[in-house]
Amino acid sequence: MAGYQRTDLSDKLMTAAIDLMAEKGYNGVTTIEIAEKAGCSEKTLFRHFKSKQNLLESAFHRYHYADEMKNLFETRIQWELQVDLLLIARSYHEIMYKNRKLFQIAAKDGGNLPGFRERTHKHPQQLKELLTGYFKKMIQAGKMIETDPEIQALAFIYMNYGAAVGRMNEDPMLRNVPFDKFIDETVQMFARALLP
């Protein structure tokens, strides 16, 4: 029971930090404000996370997509290029949009925190490795043309990352295009270029 309460309190602290930092910026929020919003003391915050930066990094790791994507590749891949890439893209966009406040904090304040970008970069790096491995197997199975799987993984990630950032920032170019249709058509085009 105590472990459950700790996780619940940790989640409250991470959520409070994300909400406040998204509103005021990393440097505009104190640990006292975060603790008060979470319903605990500053001392409890430090007992759980040691520092404000560690709290932000813990939130980033907790709510980022690494574990969900790893699970997707292990359990839901069907080894059909367009079907799989559409599943990956939709899952990616769902996670990115759901956690948009966190990604906006990272983009705005992450460069000013020592080691933050390097530590949080493991998530996109893991996705690149999962996609590269997937593309290698698809090439070996004759279900994809001979190409550099790492370059294709990077192209797919950046195609989706750019769209995710545009959506989070409410880019006017995306305003009149249904986002699901945008994902469907870009994935279809990408997959068609790689099919034998």
Side-chain angles (χ1 to χ4, degrees):
M1 184 72 167
Y4 173 77
Q5 290 172 341
R6 179 185 166 108
T7 301
D8 186 46
L9 182 55
S10 294
D11 285 342
K12 284 182 182 178
L13 284 163
M14 287 186 277
T15 301
I18 291 166
D19 288 344
L20 288 169
M21 288 178 196
E23 181 184 335
K24 300 179 178 183
Y26 178 85
N27 291 322
V29 176
T30 67
T31 51
I32 292 172
E33 290 175 289
I34 295 167
E36 285 176 359
K37 184 170 175 89
C40 68
S41 69
E42 185 182 33
K43 185 177 177 180
T44 301
L45 181 151
F46 283 115
R47 192 174 333 117
H48 280 263
F49 294 103
K50 310 290 187 244
S51 70
K52 184 166 69 166
Q53 182 172 336
N54 193 41
L55 171 59
L56 177 60
E57 289 178 11
S58 296
F60 199 86
H61 291 302
R62 168 82 166 84
Y63 297 111
H64 211 299
Y65 55 75
D67 290 339
E68 288 182 62
M69 283 297 178
K70 185 178 179 197
N71 182 56
L72 182 148
F73 276 87
E74 290 173 353
T75 63
R76 298 179 61 197
I77 292 296
Q78 298 178 28
W79 303 104
E80 294 295 331
L81 190 63
Q82 186 171 330
V83 171
D84 293 338
L85 292 181
L86 191 54
L87 172 67
I88 294 162
R90 285 180 178 163
S91 299
Y92 176 85
H93 286 288
E94 180 182 316
I95 295 163
M96 291 290 282
Y97 194 73
K98 177 176 65 179
N99 296 319
R100 64 191 174 277
K101 286 182 182 178
L102 191 56
F103 296 112
Q104 289 166 340
I105 294 165
K108 182 179 176 187
D109 296 313
N112 301 324
L113 304 173
F116 180 76
R117 285 193 192 262
E118 293 79 15
R119 284 189 288 280
T120 58
H121 191 68
K122 77 172 200 165
H123 298 275
Q125 181 63 37
Q126 181 186 45
L127 180 57
K128 184 189 89 156
E129 290 166 10
L130 290 167
L131 273 168
T132 300
Y134 170 79
F135 287 146
K136 283 179 182 176
K137 289 179 184 175
M138 291 295 281
I139 292 167
Q140 291 167 354
K143 293 184 170 191
M144 195 171 125
I145 61 169
E146 286 285 333
T147 186
D148 186 319
E150 185 175 0
I151 289 174
Q152 296 309 320
L154 286 169
F156 189 77
I157 290 169
Y158 277 109
M159 174 181 78
N160 284 287
Y161 177 75
V165 169
R167 183 182 185 201
M168 282 186 247
N169 293 327
E170 298 178 359
D171 189 322
M173 290 192 301
L174 292 171
R175 194 172 293 143
N176 297 325
V177 178
F179 198 72
D180 289 340
K181 183 177 181 186
F182 178 80
I183 294 169
D184 291 352
E185 291 198 15
T186 55
V187 169
Q188 181 182 35
M189 180 180 62
F190 192 91
R192 190 180 306 144
L194 298 176
L195 289 170

